[in-house]
Amino acid sequence: MSSSEADPIDDTESASPDALTAPPTSVRKRPAPGERRNQILQALAAMLEQPSAERITTAALAARLEVSEAALYRHFASKAQMYEGLIGFIEQSLFTLANQIVAREPDPARQIARVIGMVLQFGEKNPGMCRVIVGEALLHEHERLAARMNQALDRLESLLRQSWRMLAESRGAATPTVAAQAGASLAMAVLLGRLQRYTRTGFVRHPTEHLDATLQTLLA
């Protein structure tokens, strides 16, 4: 999905598959198998893009899709499962791209820069799902959703830690494990801070703002 020669923030050109693009509304027809499920997730993600959105109800979601609530429950057993569908999409998108970056880029510093840039650009391009990543959209929802999103973030930090250890070893650090833990923790703080600022400002302050300069400072 991305070239190892690309700029750090150009790794998400295909991070938003057609499965979650805006559904067509010009022609009403019976959805193909699996299509309605995708439409439900599309609508949920779109509703989350409203910066001042209150807790989304299944009634509001059904109204947006012009179906009954019962129709939603034919595809998802609960609203929590709908959010799990979004989290699954986030996980698949981010880790597919992150693993590709690590596999194709031998320089650990560039690995770190490109992974951070990719995640920030994904959040910028998918504001509704950015609210899921930072946990804002999961407030007052089932606690297992926040736990699953936190596990995904822990996986991301672990991936960054591996790259940071390689970087610390290449620089002759006396304690590369400690350096890797500190570096990955700092990277996640920067990453989540920028995504949270994006949602907090109503998607005005983009997470990729001054990204190259930030990454240079982070990796100095």
Side-chain angles (χ1 to χ4, degrees):
M1 296 184 182
S2 62
S3 168
S4 61
E5 298 300 322
D7 186 81
I9 63 169
D10 289 336
D11 289 299
T12 58
E13 292 182 0
S14 56
S16 301
D18 291 341
L20 286 181
T21 54
T25 58
S26 57
V27 178
R28 297 289 301 275
K29 62 180 181 180
R30 187 179 183 83
E35 183 180 347
R36 177 63 78 189
R37 182 183 176 90
N38 288 333
Q39 288 177 346
I40 292 170
L41 295 181
Q42 291 163 8
L44 177 57
M47 292 176 76
L48 288 171
E49 291 183 7
Q50 302 303 314
S52 60
E54 298 179 356
R55 186 185 183 195
I56 295 173
T57 64
T58 53
L61 182 58
R64 184 182 182 92
L65 288 163
E66 299 182 346
V67 300
S68 66
E69 288 185 74
L72 300 181
Y73 291 120
R74 284 197 289 270
H75 302 276
F76 295 94
S78 64
K79 185 171 63 167
Q81 281 195 358
M82 299 176 199
Y83 277 102
E84 285 181 322
L86 288 184
I87 294 173
F89 173 78
I90 292 167
E91 291 172 333
Q92 181 179 15
S93 299
L94 296 187
F95 288 107
T96 296
L97 291 169
N99 288 332
Q100 288 179 355
I101 291 169
V102 171
R104 296 176 181 178
E105 177 54 68
D107 181 356
R110 284 181 58 81
Q111 286 180 10
I112 295 165
R114 292 183 60 139
V115 168
I116 293 172
M118 175 273 293
V119 176
L120 292 177
Q121 190 174 45
F122 177 88
E124 186 172 303
K125 289 183 175 180
N126 300 278
M129 282 178 275
C130 183
R131 293 185 63 212
V132 174
I133 293 172
V134 301
E136 179 185 312
L138 304 179
L139 293 174
H140 310 302
E141 301 296 342
H142 197 288
E143 61 184 11
R144 76 171 185 266
L145 299 172
R148 178 171 173 180
M149 194 65 247
N150 287 337
Q151 287 176 350
L153 294 173
D154 287 344
R155 284 177 59 198
L156 181 62
E157 184 171 354
S158 178
L159 184 148
L160 288 168
R161 191 181 302 119
Q162 294 175 32
S163 296
W164 222 291
R165 182 182 175 87
M166 292 171 55
L167 179 62
E169 290 174 344
S170 70
R171 292 177 172 178
T175 54
T177 299
V178 174
Q181 291 173 341
S185 177
L186 179 59
M188 291 300 295
V190 171
L191 189 155
L192 290 174
R194 281 175 169 258
L195 293 179
Q196 288 172 335
R197 184 184 65 181
Y198 186 44
T199 63
R200 189 180 67 249
T201 60
F203 310 125
V204 173
R205 295 289 301 276
H206 289 186
T208 57
E209 180 181 272
H210 307 304
L211 180 56
D212 288 341
T214 300
L215 290 172
Q216 289 175 8
T217 300
L218 184 65
L219 292 165

